[in-house]
Amino acid sequence: MKLYYAPGACSLATRICLHEAGIAAEYERVDLHSQLTEAGEDYSKINPKGSVPLLTLEDGQSLTENVALLDLIAQREPKLAVDGPLGRTRLIEMLSFLSTELHVAFKPFFHAASEAEKASAAETASRDLELLNDRLGEGYLFGPDFTVADAYLFAMLRWAVAFGVEMRSEKFAYFERIACRPAVHRSLKEEGLPLPRIEARLATLSF
Ligand SMILES: N[C@@H](CCC(=O)N[C@@H](CS)C(=O)NCC(=O)O)C(=O)O
């Protein structure tokens, strides 16, 4: 397997899940602006969508879209999936929300958007994050066990912290809990990303 990624992008969720699942993979960095991979290949030929993540499978097939990649990893490593008769459906329900609502809400931060557009994006992202509040408690999105959905949400909470999106303190606690997982630690290190240091921000929040 090979994961095409950009540091700190949503492809971080795939890397975390590959590590959580103990699946060996190669990792190739993509410069999303120049569309060149670190090996100097034209990424737009590898993925005409131009976006990461893209995972090449053992048989050479390519797979894109976070929802599909994370579902695939959860099928290969059921400890990262959701149990129960509706488990997979509930997981896809959550991944779809994360992808089509929350992830999309962050897009203006990555493009040449105006300050007004960014402020509106922050409001939308904050509102979407609120919808997840009562799911977090002491554990993860689906209870006491970490699933692929948590890796995706973690990648986006990094952005929320970086862009100053308002979040409740429970969400910071959840964020820190995930950051402590060895697979997450390893993934951040491999992508050259700092470990979250959010205590200072916590102190500035009123709730
Ligand atoms: N629908 C895709 C979107 C992935 C996506 O937006 N990736 C971002 C990084 S987080 C990206 O590659 N942006 C650059 C671009 O789209 O040109 C998915 O869910 O996998």
Side-chain angles (χ1 to χ4, degrees), residues 6 8-11 32 35 49-53 64-67 99 103 107 110-111 152 159:
C10 52
S11 45
L32 292 171
Q35 289 285 297
K49 293 175 185 169
S51 57
V52 292
T64 59
E65 302 299 320
N66 281 298
V67 176
S99 173
H103 191 163
K107 295 256 171 190
F110 296 103
H111 299 290
Y152 197 3
W159 305 340

mmCIF file of all heavy atoms in Angstrom, residues 6 8-11 32 35 49-53 64-67 99 103 107 110-111 152 159, ligand 1:
data_model
loop_
_atom_site.group_PDB
_atom_site.id
_atom_site.type_symbol
_atom_site.label_atom_id
_atom_site.label_comp_id
_atom_site.label_asym_id
_atom_site.label_seq_id
_atom_site.Cartn_x
_atom_site.Cartn_y
_atom_site.Cartn_z
ATOM 1 N N ALA A 6 -0.543 14.957 2.369
ATOM 2 C CA ALA A 6 0.080 16.275 2.582
ATOM 3 C C ALA A 6 0.110 16.478 4.097
ATOM 4 O O ALA A 6 -0.881 16.157 4.776
ATOM 5 C CB ALA A 6 -0.723 17.379 1.901
ATOM 6 N N GLY A 8 -0.483 17.315 7.691
ATOM 7 C CA GLY A 8 -1.569 17.999 8.398
ATOM 8 C C GLY A 8 -2.893 18.041 7.662
ATOM 9 O O GLY A 8 -3.879 18.556 8.194
ATOM 10 N N ALA A 9 -2.934 17.505 6.450
ATOM 11 C CA ALA A 9 -4.204 17.480 5.701
ATOM 12 C C ALA A 9 -5.071 16.335 6.229
ATOM 13 O O ALA A 9 -4.681 15.603 7.142
ATOM 14 C CB ALA A 9 -3.913 17.308 4.209
ATOM 15 N N CYS A 10 -6.239 16.174 5.625
ATOM 16 C CA CYS A 10 -7.147 15.130 6.101
ATOM 17 C C CYS A 10 -6.551 13.735 5.929
ATOM 18 O O CYS A 10 -6.991 12.781 6.586
ATOM 19 C CB CYS A 10 -8.493 15.244 5.386
ATOM 20 S SG CYS A 10 -8.353 15.312 3.592
ATOM 21 N N SER A 11 -5.526 13.620 5.085
ATOM 22 C CA SER A 11 -4.837 12.340 4.910
ATOM 23 C C SER A 11 -4.153 11.888 6.203
ATOM 24 O O SER A 11 -3.789 10.718 6.343
ATOM 25 C CB SER A 11 -3.809 12.443 3.778
ATOM 26 O OG SER A 11 -3.054 13.642 3.902
ATOM 27 N N LEU A 32 0.437 20.109 -2.642
ATOM 28 C CA LEU A 32 -0.885 20.318 -3.258
ATOM 29 C C LEU A 32 -0.899 21.515 -4.206
ATOM 30 O O LEU A 32 -1.714 21.573 -5.125
ATOM 31 C CB LEU A 32 -1.941 20.488 -2.166
ATOM 32 C CG LEU A 32 -2.221 19.208 -1.348
ATOM 33 C CD1 LEU A 32 -3.117 19.514 -0.155
ATOM 34 C CD2 LEU A 32 -2.844 18.132 -2.217
ATOM 35 N N GLN A 35 1.352 20.303 -7.235
ATOM 36 C CA GLN A 35 0.880 18.981 -7.674
ATOM 37 C C GLN A 35 2.043 18.046 -8.023
ATOM 38 O O GLN A 35 1.929 17.172 -8.886
ATOM 39 C CB GLN A 35 -0.085 19.098 -8.865
ATOM 40 C CG GLN A 35 -1.442 19.684 -8.478
ATOM 41 C CD GLN A 35 -2.337 18.680 -7.720
ATOM 42 O OE1 GLN A 35 -2.708 17.657 -8.256
ATOM 43 N NE2 GLN A 35 -2.672 18.990 -6.480
ATOM 44 N N LYS A 49 -8.278 14.245 -9.368
ATOM 45 C CA LYS A 49 -9.001 15.157 -8.467
ATOM 46 C C LYS A 49 -8.030 16.141 -7.818
ATOM 47 O O LYS A 49 -8.439 17.164 -7.285
ATOM 48 C CB LYS A 49 -9.704 14.364 -7.354
ATOM 49 C CG LYS A 49 -10.845 13.468 -7.823
ATOM 50 C CD LYS A 49 -11.365 12.655 -6.633
ATOM 51 C CE LYS A 49 -12.411 11.658 -7.053
ATOM 52 N NZ LYS A 49 -12.733 10.693 -5.971
ATOM 53 N N GLY A 50 -6.753 15.784 -7.789
ATOM 54 C CA GLY A 50 -5.731 16.686 -7.232
ATOM 55 C C GLY A 50 -5.677 16.719 -5.719
ATOM 56 O O GLY A 50 -4.882 17.448 -5.140
ATOM 57 N N SER A 51 -6.527 15.955 -5.061
ATOM 58 C CA SER A 51 -6.593 16.033 -3.600
ATOM 59 C C SER A 51 -5.994 14.792 -2.948
ATOM 60 O O SER A 51 -5.873 13.736 -3.577
ATOM 61 C CB SER A 51 -8.048 16.213 -3.157
ATOM 62 O OG SER A 51 -8.837 15.152 -3.651
ATOM 63 N N VAL A 52 -5.633 14.942 -1.688
ATOM 64 C CA VAL A 52 -5.230 13.803 -0.866
ATOM 65 C C VAL A 52 -6.380 13.527 0.101
ATOM 66 O O VAL A 52 -7.152 14.430 0.378
ATOM 67 C CB VAL A 52 -3.924 14.101 -0.082
ATOM 68 C CG1 VAL A 52 -2.751 14.203 -1.022
ATOM 69 C CG2 VAL A 52 -4.048 15.360 0.778
ATOM 70 N N PRO A 53 -6.518 12.330 0.598
ATOM 71 C CA PRO A 53 -5.644 11.165 0.443
ATOM 72 C C PRO A 53 -5.952 10.362 -0.824
ATOM 73 O O PRO A 53 -7.061 10.401 -1.346
ATOM 74 C CB PRO A 53 -6.013 10.318 1.673
ATOM 75 C CG PRO A 53 -7.466 10.621 1.916
ATOM 76 C CD PRO A 53 -7.636 12.066 1.544
ATOM 77 N N THR A 64 -9.678 6.719 -3.547
ATOM 78 C CA THR A 64 -9.715 8.085 -3.004
ATOM 79 C C THR A 64 -10.960 8.238 -2.125
ATOM 80 O O THR A 64 -11.784 7.328 -2.066
ATOM 81 C CB THR A 64 -9.785 9.139 -4.130
ATOM 82 O OG1 THR A 64 -10.952 8.897 -4.921
ATOM 83 C CG2 THR A 64 -8.544 9.101 -5.013
ATOM 84 N N GLU A 65 -11.086 9.385 -1.501
ATOM 85 C CA GLU A 65 -12.188 9.791 -0.630
ATOM 86 C C GLU A 65 -12.010 9.218 0.779
ATOM 87 O O GLU A 65 -12.003 7.996 0.981
ATOM 88 C CB GLU A 65 -13.583 9.403 -1.173
ATOM 89 C CG GLU A 65 -13.897 9.982 -2.540
ATOM 90 C CD GLU A 65 -13.901 11.527 -2.554
ATOM 91 O OE1 GLU A 65 -14.403 12.138 -1.597
ATOM 92 O OE2 GLU A 65 -13.388 12.099 -3.516
ATOM 93 N N ASN A 66 -11.905 10.140 1.703
ATOM 94 C CA ASN A 66 -11.729 9.759 3.110
ATOM 95 C C ASN A 66 -12.732 8.713 3.580
ATOM 96 O O ASN A 66 -12.364 7.763 4.264
ATOM 97 C CB ASN A 66 -11.892 11.011 3.994
ATOM 98 C CG ASN A 66 -10.647 11.870 3.995
ATOM 99 O OD1 ASN A 66 -9.601 11.425 4.429
ATOM 100 N ND2 ASN A 66 -10.759 13.082 3.499
ATOM 101 N N VAL A 67 -13.987 8.909 3.225
ATOM 102 C CA VAL A 67 -15.015 7.984 3.718
ATOM 103 C C VAL A 67 -14.701 6.558 3.264
ATOM 104 O O VAL A 67 -14.772 5.597 4.049
ATOM 105 C CB VAL A 67 -16.424 8.408 3.222
ATOM 106 C CG1 VAL A 67 -17.473 7.393 3.648
ATOM 107 C CG2 VAL A 67 -16.778 9.792 3.746
ATOM 108 N N SER A 99 -17.255 14.353 6.542
ATOM 109 C CA SER A 99 -16.719 14.695 5.227
ATOM 110 C C SER A 99 -17.515 15.799 4.525
ATOM 111 O O SER A 99 -16.941 16.776 4.049
ATOM 112 C CB SER A 99 -16.707 13.423 4.363
ATOM 113 O OG SER A 99 -16.347 13.735 3.056
ATOM 114 N N HIS A 103 -15.830 18.862 7.192
ATOM 115 C CA HIS A 103 -14.651 19.067 6.343
ATOM 116 C C HIS A 103 -14.902 20.205 5.344
ATOM 117 O O HIS A 103 -14.068 21.106 5.179
ATOM 118 C CB HIS A 103 -14.339 17.756 5.610
ATOM 119 C CG HIS A 103 -13.022 17.743 4.901
ATOM 120 N ND1 HIS A 103 -12.404 16.596 4.476
ATOM 121 C CD2 HIS A 103 -12.201 18.744 4.517
ATOM 122 C CE1 HIS A 103 -11.267 16.889 3.887
ATOM 123 N NE2 HIS A 103 -11.126 18.189 3.887
ATOM 124 N N LYS A 107 -13.115 24.413 4.340
ATOM 125 C CA LYS A 107 -12.453 24.695 3.044
ATOM 126 C C LYS A 107 -12.005 26.149 2.880
ATOM 127 O O LYS A 107 -10.896 26.387 2.391
ATOM 128 C CB LYS A 107 -13.359 24.268 1.883
ATOM 129 C CG LYS A 107 -13.615 22.761 1.823
ATOM 130 C CD LYS A 107 -12.830 22.082 0.738
ATOM 131 C CE LYS A 107 -12.963 20.577 0.881
ATOM 132 N NZ LYS A 107 -12.079 19.793 0.055
ATOM 133 N N PHE A 110 -8.494 27.158 3.654
ATOM 134 C CA PHE A 110 -7.382 26.674 2.837
ATOM 135 C C PHE A 110 -7.329 27.346 1.465
ATOM 136 O O PHE A 110 -6.487 27.024 0.647
ATOM 137 C CB PHE A 110 -7.484 25.150 2.657
ATOM 138 C CG PHE A 110 -7.356 24.414 3.965
ATOM 139 C CD1 PHE A 110 -8.479 23.891 4.600
ATOM 140 C CD2 PHE A 110 -6.119 24.284 4.579
ATOM 141 C CE1 PHE A 110 -8.362 23.227 5.813
ATOM 142 C CE2 PHE A 110 -5.991 23.626 5.794
ATOM 143 C CZ PHE A 110 -7.116 23.091 6.408
ATOM 144 N N HIS A 111 -8.280 28.222 1.223
ATOM 145 C CA HIS A 111 -8.306 28.894 -0.078
ATOM 146 C C HIS A 111 -8.235 30.404 0.149
ATOM 147 O O HIS A 111 -8.303 30.863 1.286
ATOM 148 C CB HIS A 111 -9.560 28.480 -0.856
ATOM 149 C CG HIS A 111 -9.598 27.007 -1.122
ATOM 150 N ND1 HIS A 111 -8.744 26.376 -1.999
ATOM 151 C CD2 HIS A 111 -10.348 26.023 -0.579
ATOM 152 C CE1 HIS A 111 -8.968 25.080 -1.997
ATOM 153 N NE2 HIS A 111 -9.944 24.835 -1.144
ATOM 154 N N TYR A 152 -10.513 10.905 11.918
ATOM 155 C CA TYR A 152 -10.926 11.964 10.977
ATOM 156 C C TYR A 152 -11.265 13.243 11.760
ATOM 157 O O TYR A 152 -10.822 14.343 11.406
ATOM 158 C CB TYR A 152 -12.130 11.462 10.177
ATOM 159 C CG TYR A 152 -12.451 12.226 8.906
ATOM 160 C CD1 TYR A 152 -11.662 13.290 8.456
ATOM 161 C CD2 TYR A 152 -13.562 11.863 8.144
ATOM 162 C CE1 TYR A 152 -11.980 13.965 7.284
ATOM 163 C CE2 TYR A 152 -13.880 12.529 6.968
ATOM 164 C CZ TYR A 152 -13.092 13.583 6.551
ATOM 165 O OH TYR A 152 -13.417 14.255 5.385
ATOM 166 N N TRP A 159 -7.215 21.581 12.868
ATOM 167 C CA TRP A 159 -7.487 22.804 12.103
ATOM 168 C C TRP A 159 -8.296 23.776 12.955
ATOM 169 O O TRP A 159 -8.040 24.984 12.944
ATOM 170 C CB TRP A 159 -8.284 22.498 10.841
ATOM 171 C CG TRP A 159 -7.689 21.477 9.922
ATOM 172 C CD1 TRP A 159 -6.375 21.079 9.872
ATOM 173 C CD2 TRP A 159 -8.383 20.717 8.930
ATOM 174 N NE1 TRP A 159 -6.225 20.121 8.903
ATOM 175 C CE2 TRP A 159 -7.426 19.880 8.310
ATOM 176 C CE3 TRP A 159 -9.706 20.665 8.505
ATOM 177 C CZ2 TRP A 159 -7.770 18.997 7.282
ATOM 178 C CZ3 TRP A 159 -10.055 19.789 7.484
ATOM 179 C CH2 TRP A 159 -9.088 18.972 6.881
HETATM 180 N N1 LIG B 1 -13.626 14.604 -1.101
HETATM 181 C C1 LIG B 1 -12.245 14.402 -0.736
HETATM 182 C C2 LIG B 1 -11.664 15.739 -0.372
HETATM 183 C C3 LIG B 1 -10.268 15.631 0.147
HETATM 184 C C4 LIG B 1 -9.668 17.011 0.351
HETATM 185 O O1 LIG B 1 -10.362 18.037 0.316
HETATM 186 N N2 LIG B 1 -8.381 17.032 0.604
HETATM 187 C C5 LIG B 1 -7.677 18.290 0.751
HETATM 188 C C6 LIG B 1 -6.683 18.200 1.881
HETATM 189 S S1 LIG B 1 -7.493 18.105 3.435
HETATM 190 C C7 LIG B 1 -6.935 18.577 -0.515
HETATM 191 O O2 LIG B 1 -6.272 17.711 -1.050
HETATM 192 N N3 LIG B 1 -7.062 19.811 -1.008
HETATM 193 C C8 LIG B 1 -6.369 20.237 -2.177
HETATM 194 C C9 LIG B 1 -7.224 20.221 -3.390
HETATM 195 O O3 LIG B 1 -8.385 19.770 -3.305
HETATM 196 O O4 LIG B 1 -6.734 20.659 -4.410
HETATM 197 C C10 LIG B 1 -12.144 13.404 0.417
HETATM 198 O O5 LIG B 1 -13.016 13.444 1.301
HETATM 199 O O6 LIG B 1 -11.188 12.620 0.465
#
